[in-house]
């Protein structure tokens, strides 16, 4: 009987020990889950706080915009009232002093603009002068090219070296002066070739 009693006590001890270990494991798992849940809740709280701050900031911006729009509306209403009063005053008194000042300002502005704009004849004269300069330059370039071509032909035929070796300048003379002797001050933007 004692053996039987010992067996039941050992069984009870093993059973209690296993129950205790399993309950401790369950509690520790629940504790880990609760800390994870607490971290998630804290993170959600931080996110909600950030959203709330962003919404509050947006609200202040919108309130500021609404305020500026109200100010603009008030300014427009004042201008509209002032224009209505001016129109009514102009209807009752056609010789308005303010209308005369506006006309005077308009006249002075048109006079300033017409004085500052160059005359059409001056512009046409400058344009014609530039065109004649371009034509003279192109004519000189053509003459220079013709002279250079003639000298090249003479070199190729050998007439330049063999023909008049005593006076080579006489063989290259033409009715037009060489480009180095021409007046180059007529056009300041001559293109060299």
């Amino acid at each position: 009987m004692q053996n039987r009693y010992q067996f039941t006590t050992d069984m009870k001890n093993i059973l209690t020990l296993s129950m205790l270990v399993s309950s401790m494991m369950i509690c520790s798992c629940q504790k880990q889950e609760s800390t994870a849940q607490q971290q998630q809740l804290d993170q959600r709280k931080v996110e909600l706080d950030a959203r709330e701050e962003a919404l509050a900031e947006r609200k202040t911006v919108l309130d500021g915009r609404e305020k500026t729009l109200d100010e603009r509306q008030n300014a427009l209403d004042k201008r509209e009232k002032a224009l209505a009063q001016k129109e009514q005053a102009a209807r009752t008194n056609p010789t308005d002093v303010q209308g005369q000042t506006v006309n005077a300002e308009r006249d002075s502005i048109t006079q300033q603009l017409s004085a500052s704009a160059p005359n059409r004849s001056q512009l046409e004269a400058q344009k014609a002068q530039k065109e004649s300069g371009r034509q003279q330059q192109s004519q000189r370039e053509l003459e220079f090219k013709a002279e250079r071509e003639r000298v090249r032909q003479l070199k190729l035929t050998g007439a330049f070296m063999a023909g008049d070796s005593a006076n080579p300048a006489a063989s290259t003379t033409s009715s037009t002066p060489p480009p180095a002797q021409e007046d180059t001050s007529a056009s300041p933007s001559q293109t060299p070739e």
Side-chain angles (χ1 to χ4, degrees):
M1 192 116 142
Q2 193 176 22
N3 195 9
R4 198 174 185 193
Y5 180 69
Q6 175 115 9
F7 180 69
T8 53
T9 8
D10 286 339
M11 238 5 207
K12 286 182 182 178
N13 285 340
I14 291 173
L15 183 63
T16 12
L17 185 62
S18 66
M19 292 296 275
L20 185 63
V21 168
S22 63
S23 65
M24 286 177 54
M25 287 175 62
I26 290 172
C27 288
S28 68
C29 288
Q30 286 180 350
K31 193 173 189 181
Q32 287 177 355
E33 288 177 5
S34 67
T35 56
Q37 287 176 351
Q38 185 65 33
Q39 287 175 351
Q40 287 178 352
L41 288 175
D42 290 342
Q43 186 178 2
R44 287 181 186 171
K45 185 178 179 183
V46 168
E47 289 174 359
L48 288 175
D49 289 343
R51 287 181 186 172
E52 189 176 317
E53 288 175 7
L55 286 174
E57 188 175 317
R58 286 181 186 172
K59 185 180 179 199
T60 56
V61 169
L62 289 176
D63 289 343
R65 287 182 182 175
E66 186 178 349
K67 190 174 184 178
T68 56
L69 287 175
D70 288 341
E71 290 173 357
R72 286 182 182 177
Q73 183 66 37
N74 290 338
L76 286 174
D77 290 341
K78 288 179 183 178
R79 287 180 187 171
E80 190 175 297
K81 286 179 184 177
L83 285 174
Q85 289 174 355
K86 286 180 184 178
E87 286 178 1
Q88 189 171 4
R91 289 179 192 153
T92 59
N93 188 7
T95 58
D96 190 7
V97 175
Q98 190 175 9
Q100 291 174 356
T101 58
V102 168
N103 288 336
E105 288 177 11
R106 186 181 332 138
D107 291 341
S108 67
I109 289 172
T110 54
Q111 286 176 357
Q112 288 174 355
L113 288 176
S114 64
S116 65
N119 289 341
R120 189 173 196 80
S121 61
Q122 288 176 346
L123 288 175
E124 289 176 0
Q126 289 174 352
K127 187 176 180 181
Q129 188 178 16
K130 286 180 182 179
E131 185 64 32
S132 68
R134 285 186 198 133
Q135 288 176 354
Q136 288 176 357
Q137 180 181 358
S138 65
Q139 181 66 27
R140 276 188 247 126
E141 288 176 358
L142 287 174
E143 290 172 358
F144 179 71
K145 285 180 183 179
E147 183 67 24
R148 193 171 69 196
E149 182 64 26
R150 203 174 112 249
V151 168
R152 189 175 70 81
Q153 287 294 329
L154 287 175
K155 282 183 180 180
L156 286 176
T157 59
F160 183 71
M161 292 294 193
D164 289 328
S165 60
N167 190 5
S171 65
T172 60
T173 59
S174 68
S175 62
T176 60
Q181 295 174 354
E182 291 180 2
D183 183 21
T184 58
S185 65
S187 84
S189 62
Q190 239 182 355
T191 55
E193 294 194 25

